[in-house]
Amino acid sequence: MGNFLRELIFFLYPPICAGCGQPLPPPAQGAFCCKCASRLELIRQPYCPDCGLPLPLAATKSYLCGDCLIGSYHFDRARAAGVYRGLLRQVLHSFKYEGKTFLARALVQLLQPCCQEIGQTAAIDFVVPVPLHRTRLRTRGFNQAAILAHHLGRDLKIPVKYQELRRVRQTDPQVGLSRSQRRANVRGAFRIRGAKEFKGKTLLLVDDVMTTGETVNQCAQVLKRHGAKTVFVLTVARTAML
């Protein structure tokens, strides 16, 4: 595409900021304007090296959180792009509950540094989205994790497995539940179809938000039970300790 045609398209259809919705001034390098980008609380060290939990501001270096010290998780590592509050929470809410699926591209851009970090650890064989139960999928009209996985798989040139991991039991929304209630809520909710597909493979499990990690933990347990060698977890946002 020539420079003139590129500039013409930019003039006629300028990209808009995923945060404020205003046109991005050229040259647009990211999905957020400078003001909105400064409002995103991206996760940087210190954080738990295993589950990616942001540590208190007083922490001077990364260390294993209590859950990882006692081996609470079945996944191998987890990373999230930012803290689930403020502008990032608003954008995720618009994406998930207001049907603004075009925001997925902006959210996946935020995941790129996390992808690079995980990619240095091991080669990923498949991207796997956390599934929705068919009842909720019918109500919402789309699975936000599947849309994120689609864009991520395309960017990374890694196959996405949409159908193999299934949610076979409809669960209550996790919002407002205690940790023990969340664990009980998702216990036994996931199953695998075509178990041989994942045997000996390294998987990247994708979801929008990680709170206590019970949902992705149950998914990872099922995936490993059916032969997955390694399960990494990648989410757009993660709740913070403080």
Side-chain angles (χ1 to χ4, degrees), residues 138-213:
R138 192 180 305 119
T139 301
R140 185 174 298 165
F142 63 92
N143 177 3
Q144 71 280 356
I147 294 176
L148 293 170
H150 166 76
H151 290 290
L152 196 60
R154 187 173 62 181
D155 289 351
L156 299 176
K157 296 179 173 58
I158 298 174
V160 182
K161 296 295 182 180
Y162 297 98
Q163 300 297 328
E164 285 73 12
L165 179 62
R166 295 195 163 196
R167 192 184 294 246
V168 296
R169 179 171 60 79
Q170 186 175 9
T171 56
D172 295 328
Q174 296 278 67
V175 178
L177 300 181
S178 67
R179 186 180 192 116
S180 60
Q181 290 172 328
R182 287 171 181 257
R183 184 180 299 116
N185 189 38
V186 295
R187 186 178 294 121
F190 302 97
R191 289 183 186 171
I192 298 291
R193 187 183 74 170
K196 294 181 180 179
E197 192 79 23
F198 295 145
K199 189 171 183 180
K201 303 298 184 181
T202 297
L203 309 178
L204 182 61
L205 184 65
V206 176
D207 206 359
D208 56 335
V209 180
M210 179 174 169
T211 304
T212 62

Side-chain angles (χ1 to χ4, degrees), residues 77-94:
R77 295 180 72 188
R79 287 291 178 272
V83 178
Y84 186 55
R85 61 188 174 206
L87 180 62
L88 185 55
R89 187 176 188 275
Q90 294 173 25
V91 175
L92 276 166
H93 190 280
S94 296

Side-chain angles (χ1 to χ4, degrees), residues 37 57 76 80 88 97 113 117 133 153 169 172 223:
L57 294 177
D76 294 271
L88 185 55
Y97 298 113
E117 181 182 348
H133 188 268
R169 179 171 60 79
D172 295 328
L223 290 166

